[in-house]
Amino acid sequence: MSDTRRAPRANWRQATLVLRLAFNSLARSRSTTALAVGILALGLAAPTVFFSLLVGSIRPLPVPEGDRVVRIDVVQPSSGGRPVAVMPLDMGELDDVQSLEALGGFRTSPAIMVDPDVAATRVSLAELSPEVLPLLRVSPQLGRMVTSDDSDRTVLIGHDVWLEMYAGDADVLGRVVTVEGTPRTVIGVMPQGFGFPFKQNAWVVFDPDEEAGTEVAPVELVGRLAQAASMDGATAEVGVRWSRSDEGRAIERTGGVATVRPYTGGRGEGGEAVAFLGLVLVALSLLLIACANVANLLLVRATERVHALGIQSALGASRFQIGAQLLTEALLLALAGGLIGVVLAQGAVGTIQTRLAEEHFGYFWMRMAVDGPVLLFTSLLMLATSLVSGTLPAVRVMSVDVRGVLQRNGGRAGMPGGGRWSRVFVTTQLALSCAALVAAGLTARSMASTRDLGGDLPTDEILIAQMGLVGGWRSDPQRIQGLADELRRLPNVRGAAVASGAPGFMESWGSIEVDGVVYERPEDRERLLWGAVTPGFFDVVDAEVRAGRFLGPQDAAESAPVAVVNESFVARFSPDRDVLGRSIRIDAADDSALWHTIVGVISDVRMGSGERIRHDRAYLPLAQSTPNSAIVLLRGSRDVTSLAPGLRSSVAAVDPETALSGIRTLADGHAFMTRVPRAMGALAFGGGVAGLLVAAAGLYGLLTFRVRQRRRELGVRLALGADGRRLARETVVFALQQLVPAVAIGLTLAWIAGPLLSVLVLGMNPRSPATLTAVGITFLAVGLMAAAIPTARAAATDPADALRAE
């Protein structure tokens, strides 16, 4: 019994001793420890960030027991998996499915919500069957749910609509609004962040029975799994029930197969989950390289510590205990690196969530956070990292008779290691890191160039808002000019216009034809940025006439089609001829692609910078080419955001049912347009710099190991009169033998992959010679800096110490 009690105590003392020895060993070599922790922190932070994005994109609905909320997809295998339209009447066939507690349907559409006392607002509307909100188990933040008695006369609004239209006023309940022409009473405000089914902010309830026999839009099915049911069981039951009803359906809706899936699973029309998974795999590759470099550093330390390990062996430590100590050191390094990495990841994820999630992520349930699943993933990575980085040094040490080494030569002996494969690995790693640094350099230049996308245009003095041009707007173009004139009369407004797009914001591309130029194929025509504008547009952007005239009120719908171009257009398309009187045709400008006669040349509105930025533009009268949507532009003399109330009132006075959205300064519009590529560019830049640091650490470890392995040779040569500077040069030459091929390979890879980086380098040449040259020089410089310490050690080797160690 006493032996039984002693064994755990002995094991505990032994484990404590190993931990203390490992901690003391790391504390004695602070520089190597700090370097290893830094490498692992960078290596662990990247996969933690990207895994949190992946988890955030596929998490269950944020409702009670959201993991049991499912969707029912119906596809036709015979037509390659084409979705089958599900009609409201079909829900009756699935009413009593035992594996589902409840089943409902929904459909979505954009809509205009009009309150007589408030400007119209564009909303994203969800029409729900009566079962949907109860099965989600969500209650309004304010007010009540819809009942069967008032479902056709009520509406629930989202928290954002409540704030935008009513400034959070609790008296909103009972107000009568018009939703797509139907009067409805506001009976509730849904909780902040709720946006079922995807990212909606207004909800009405429809009665499937009342829609039977009428032409209505199809619905998507949503349900809640019963407590004892499984996804596979529900799929089997729903599938059988759906197939039984095939006889009564139209031929194009027969042969469908129903599948029950988690509601958020497989969503990703924008490819979010796939993209984040790819980033996780890339980050894990970086972590693997970091582990290899840390293993190199630990191997160098183990080589230098053979004497100390030999003393431990002489005092009774077994090879297993020495190996356990080395693994424990790797575990402590991974733990410290992981903790720092989590802190770094928390900051990065918080920034992404704050700046991008609300406007750019596709679904309301996507929330990025370093929470439980992510921390578990990082903990497993830390454990794996300690094993990968600590196993090689432990095995190497355990393969050496450290006690015998101590007896033979005082404990200063080389260890097996290095070799051709180690050099090949380091060269490969350096090449990949060099290629990543090119991407980082390009994105850094791109981020700098997009910081002021507006160029010389005072974008913070221009207010923009999006509006629809449907119904009366399209049938009466003069209405648009009337709105522009009304806006120009607002206090503190220097200029007002309505256009198909603002400079650098929502502009349109079209294929252009110029008279007198023959195009062999349609695809040979060049593409051009163009805009349909009211005459006041040129005042808003401070344009000047260089030849001919501006567009004016005389350029009406019934007038001859005309156009105005800028100086860059002339330089690009007609440098040798007077452009006035020539005709152009832009495919995307109007339905009939009319020829427009050029009546004026204006100064450029130069936007942004970069080698590939296009400044050439063509402008058509808005009255002659009315698009479905437009941008309202106001140029103010001070605090342009204060013009927003007057803008809303003016639009409501012309048409109360026209909604404005996205009211912001043009500077904020540019920031919105470039936010995603800038964020992705920042991640790419961080990854490239991290790769450079990790690569430098790898080169440092290889050179340090080489110097330690050649210690005896260096001592003999120095004893025979060799110059220490010559030995240092040899180390530098060895470093260059690693760096030069790596830089050549890395720059070649970056040049080949250049077109893939176009999405991250707005306006920049992804194969920029200047960037490639700068990266090559930077990489060589950092690599030589990493080689400086091993080189200095080689030059300062004491022959007597080296020979005495042997």
Side-chain angles (χ1 to χ4, degrees):
M1 189 71 178
S2 59
D3 290 341
T4 304
R5 284 197 298 268
R6 278 194 208 101
R9 293 178 182 175
N11 292 338
W12 173 253
R13 284 197 298 271
Q14 187 176 13
T16 304
L17 177 62
V18 169
L19 182 62
R20 188 166 66 249
L21 289 172
F23 184 82
N24 291 337
S25 174
L26 293 175
R28 282 195 296 272
S29 53
R30 292 186 179 88
S31 59
T32 302
T33 298
L35 181 58
V37 169
I39 292 172
L40 291 179
L42 292 174
L44 287 165
T48 300
V49 169
F50 297 134
F51 187 74
S52 70
L53 301 183
L54 175 63
V55 170
S57 68
I58 59 175
R59 64 174 72 246
L61 282 182
V63 300
E65 294 185 286
D67 57 334
R68 303 196 68 80
V69 178
V70 297
R71 74 176 195 266
I72 294 87
D73 296 332
V74 184
V75 298
Q76 237 177 18
S78 60
S79 60
R82 181 182 62 85
V84 174
V86 179
M87 307 308 293
L89 189 63
D90 294 323
M91 291 189 292
E93 306 293 338
L94 305 174
D95 270 348
D96 56 348
V97 172
Q98 298 299 309
S99 53
L100 298 177
E101 287 184 7
L103 175 75
F106 65 84
R107 52 182 171 239
T108 63
S109 62
I112 302 298
M113 182 179 294
V114 180
D115 184 321
D117 300 324
V118 182
T121 299
R122 189 185 303 273
V123 297
S124 183
L125 181 68
E127 297 178 74
L128 314 174
S129 69
E131 303 84 4
V132 174
L133 288 175
L135 75 81
L136 294 175
R137 301 177 183 174
V138 176
S139 300
Q141 170 186 339
L142 184 70
R144 63 175 178 85
M145 296 288 279
V146 182
T147 67
S148 58
D149 295 333
D150 59 11
S151 60
D152 60 339
R153 303 187 305 274
T154 57
V155 62
L156 296 167
I157 62 174
H159 190 272
D160 58 335
V161 175
W162 181 42
L163 294 180
E164 181 181 350
M165 292 185 69
Y166 302 105
D169 186 356
D171 290 338
V172 65
L173 300 181
R175 295 188 71 101
V176 177
V177 298
T178 301
V179 181
E180 290 297 284
T182 302
R184 292 180 178 271
T185 302
V186 178
I187 62 168
V189 177
M190 297 303 287
Q192 183 175 6
F194 180 78
F196 184 87
F198 307 118
K199 205 169 185 178
Q200 277 55 55
N201 54 13
W203 299 266
V204 298
V205 172
F206 70 89
D207 187 343
D209 295 331
E210 291 183 1
E211 294 189 347
T214 62
E215 268 195 48
V216 293
V219 296
E220 295 188 51
L221 298 178
V222 59
R224 178 177 286 273
L225 275 181
Q227 288 297 326
S230 66
M231 211 73 69
D232 291 339
T235 294
E237 186 180 1
V238 171
V240 170
R241 195 66 64 84
W242 179 269
S243 299
R244 284 181 189 169
S245 306
D246 249 4
E247 293 182 4
R249 298 192 181 103
I251 186 65
E252 65 271 12
R253 298 179 56 235
T254 59
V257 175
T259 305
V260 178
R261 308 177 63 184
Y263 182 80
T264 60
R267 302 283 189 189
E269 288 81 354
E272 295 93 345
V274 175
F276 294 150
L277 179 60
L279 291 173
V280 170
L281 296 177
V282 171
L284 289 177
S285 301
L286 175 65
L287 177 59
L288 185 60
I289 294 174
C291 290
N293 287 339
V294 171
N296 242 349
L297 293 175
L298 293 180
L299 193 58
V300 173
R301 288 185 68 253
T303 303
E304 297 173 342
R305 293 170 53 214
V306 171
H307 177 70
L309 296 174
I311 293 176
Q312 288 182 224
S313 179
L315 294 175
S318 66
R319 292 187 180 185
F320 174 78
Q321 290 171 322
I322 292 175
Q325 177 183 331
L326 294 176
L327 284 174
T328 303
E329 291 176 14
L331 180 61
L332 291 175
L333 290 173
L335 181 62
L339 292 176
I340 297 175
V342 166
V343 173
L344 295 175
Q346 181 71 52
V349 170
T351 301
I352 293 172
Q353 176 68 27
T354 300
R355 296 187 177 181
L356 291 183
E358 181 176 351
E359 290 185 297
H360 290 287
F361 292 155
Y363 306 106
F364 80 97
W365 61 80
M366 292 177 69
R367 180 181 58 83
M368 314 308 168
V370 181
D371 51 12
V374 177
L375 291 176
L376 177 61
F377 172 77
T378 306
S379 299
L380 294 175
L381 280 186
M382 285 192 287
L383 180 60
T385 297
S386 64
L387 293 175
V388 172
S389 60
T391 298
L392 178 61
V395 170
R396 290 282 177 84
V397 170
M398 293 171 68
S399 66
V400 176
D401 182 3
V402 290
R403 186 184 298 185
V405 169
L406 185 65
Q407 293 170 348
R408 289 193 300 271
N409 52 31
R412 300 278 183 182
M415 290 175 58
R420 181 165 58 92
W421 288 111
S422 178
R423 293 195 295 273
V424 170
F425 171 79
V426 171
T427 300
T428 303
Q429 170 197 341
L430 291 171
L432 294 175
S433 300
C434 181
L437 191 61
V438 172
L442 288 169
T443 54
R445 290 185 63 192
S446 177
M447 286 188 290
S449 68
T450 58
R451 188 173 300 278
D452 185 17
L453 185 61
D456 297 331
L457 191 66
T459 54
D460 55 347
E461 295 180 10
I462 299 175
L463 189 73
I464 60 174
Q466 295 169 262
M467 65 179 292
L469 293 180
V470 295
W473 293 106
R474 289 190 67 86
S475 60
D476 183 12
Q478 293 303 316
R479 198 177 194 186
I480 299 174
Q481 185 59 51
L483 173 61
D485 294 339
E486 180 74 21
L487 293 172
R488 201 160 35 243
R489 287 192 285 269
L490 290 174
N492 302 316
V493 169
R494 292 173 48 194
V498 181
S500 58
F505 183 82
M506 307 296 287
E507 290 184 291
S508 301
W509 286 92
S511 297
I512 183 173
E513 293 182 71
V514 181
D515 67 344
V517 179
V518 178
Y519 303 93
E520 294 184 5
R521 301 173 303 169
E523 54 266 31
D524 291 338
R525 293 175 298 180
E526 294 200 55
R527 289 171 60 78
L528 172 80
L529 279 168
W530 67 277
V533 304
T534 57
F537 177 86
F538 305 107
D539 293 330
V540 173
V541 299
D542 289 332
E544 299 177 359
V545 173
R546 299 291 190 239
R549 65 175 177 86
F550 285 131
L551 299 177
Q554 70 272 25
D555 301 313
E558 62 278 4
S559 304
V562 297
V564 166
V565 299
N566 65 1
E567 293 174 296
S568 290
F569 179 98
V570 175
R572 186 179 187 89
F573 294 102
S574 189
D576 303 324
R577 288 181 53 185
D578 183 3
V579 74
L580 294 179
R582 299 191 70 180
S583 297
I584 60 174
R585 182 163 64 179
I586 304 173
D587 274 359
D590 49 52
D591 296 337
S592 56
L594 299 175
W595 286 95
H596 292 253
T597 302
I598 298 175
V599 297
V601 178
I602 64 171
S603 58
D604 289 343
V605 179
R606 304 189 68 83
M607 304 296 302
S609 60
E611 301 163 31
R612 295 191 171 186
I613 286 290
R614 294 275 298 269
H615 297 292
D616 49 310
R617 300 286 196 279
Y619 301 99
L620 313 179
L622 189 62
Q624 296 179 355
S625 177
T626 307
N628 290 327
S629 62
I631 304 291
V632 180
L633 300 95
L634 292 184
R635 178 78 178 269
S637 55
R638 61 174 183 270
D639 189 17
V640 72
T641 57
S642 64
L643 300 176
L647 171 59
R648 287 186 179 277
S649 299
S650 296
V651 172
V654 176
D655 186 348
E657 297 190 3
T658 294
L660 295 176
S661 62
I663 300 179
R664 63 186 100 194
T665 65
L666 184 55
D668 289 339
H670 289 163
F672 173 81
M673 295 289 287
T674 60
R675 194 172 299 177
V676 169
R678 282 175 60 83
M680 298 301 292
L683 291 176
F685 179 74
V689 173
L692 174 64
L693 297 177
V694 170
L699 182 64
Y700 167 81
L702 174 67
L703 295 176
T704 301
F705 192 84
R706 177 179 170 83
V707 170
R708 295 298 306 171
Q709 289 292 88
R710 298 181 60 208
R711 185 177 175 84
R712 181 177 181 276
E713 175 197 340
L714 296 176
V716 171
R717 292 175 63 183
L718 288 169
L720 294 176
D723 187 357
R725 287 175 295 181
R726 179 180 178 183
L727 300 181
R729 283 197 298 271
E730 290 181 2
T731 304
V732 172
V733 169
F734 180 78
L736 289 174
Q737 289 174 344
Q738 299 289 129
L739 284 167
V740 173
V743 169
I745 295 171
L747 294 181
T748 301
L749 291 174
W751 189 88
I752 293 172
L756 301 177
L757 299 174
S758 298
V759 68
L760 298 179
V761 291
L762 300 176
M764 306 299 299
N765 179 5
R767 291 173 172 171
S768 167
T771 301
L772 294 175
T773 302
V775 167
I777 294 173
T778 301
F779 204 85
L780 287 172
V782 173
L784 290 176
M785 288 175 60
I789 296 177
T791 299
R793 287 178 179 173
T797 300
D798 188 334
D801 287 346
L803 294 174
R804 204 166 30 246
E806 295 298 325

